[in-house]
Amino acid sequence: MSTSGPGFAMTDFLASISHTVRPGAQRPLVVHDGELEEIPPGTVPNPTSLRVAGKLPTATFELFRQVIPAGESSDMQRHHHETVHFVLTGRGHSEIEDETVAWTTGSFIYTPPWTWHRHYNDSAEHPVEFLTIENSRLLNLFGVGRRQSAGLASIAEARGDHREDQ
């Protein structure tokens, strides 16, 4: 079955989605913290570390454990998918387009699609840890997933650098 392009058929795609999870040795029902797959440093244009629960048999969403070191931030980015960060530990703030929001352990942070955003660790001593949930797999199945990073730029700089993509 083609997931995009000329061979793609919506009826085939919808028929392939099942309410039954078919786990196996490669896609178990349980993945432990020590089994999360680290995204290699330097792959992401910021100092955070990301580990993905990629072996879970999810078809439409992705789960990450993200750590932002003390006093650091994520990169300024935007993407087509929705994201929710659950704050496992720490405190900080996020810039999401023209709004700045504060958060602490136990908070949920929602990032709407295609909005410039950046997350900051406000502690000079302790890392922030997130459980990050995004529906990127679903959009990638349809061939419409897209992500842009402006590095450690401000929102104004990101908008200026990517004006043609607004």
Side-chain angles (χ1 to χ4, degrees):
M1 177 186 79
S2 177
T3 57
S4 66
F8 176 78
M10 181 59 77
T11 53
D12 292 341
F13 172 76
L14 293 174
S16 73
I17 298 175
S18 171
H19 68 280
T20 304
V21 174
R22 294 193 179 9
Q26 297 299 313
R27 303 285 286 208
L29 287 173
V30 175
V31 173
H32 301 280
D33 186 56
E35 299 170 316
L36 297 180
E37 302 164 31
E38 185 171 2
I39 295 177
T43 304
V44 178
N46 65 58
T48 69
S49 69
L50 287 168
R51 294 182 303 134
V52 62
K55 291 183 180 178
L56 289 173
T58 60
T60 61
F61 64 93
E62 194 76 81
L63 294 163
F64 298 90
R65 186 151 184 181
Q66 182 175 7
V67 177
I68 301 176
E72 299 285 343
S73 73
S74 65
D75 59 320
M76 182 64 68
Q77 61 178 270
R78 64 182 177 178
H79 35 70
H80 285 172
H81 57 267
E82 294 178 286
T83 303
V84 173
H85 289 77
F86 175 69
V87 184
L88 297 168
T89 61
R91 63 179 172 80
H93 70 281
S94 297
E95 294 175 310
I96 303 171
E97 284 296 334
D98 295 321
E99 193 168 348
T100 300
V101 293
W103 41 260
T104 60
T105 299
S107 298
F108 290 86
I109 308 157
Y110 174 70
T111 305
W114 209 239
T115 57
W116 286 111
H117 62 280
R118 187 170 171 185
H119 307 291
Y120 296 83
N121 181 346
D122 290 344
S123 172
E125 299 174 9
H126 304 287
V128 163
E129 292 187 62
F130 293 134
L131 171 63
T132 302
I133 306 150
E134 57 185 43
N135 66 338
S136 54
R137 284 189 181 187
L138 177 63
L139 296 183
N140 289 337
L141 282 172
F142 287 108
V144 295
R146 185 173 177 205
R147 180 186 305 259
Q148 287 183 329
S149 173
L152 300 179
S154 68
I155 287 178
E157 291 167 329
R159 286 179 180 150
D161 291 347
H162 295 88
R163 185 164 310 284
E164 70 281 356
D165 297 323
Q166 301 292 332

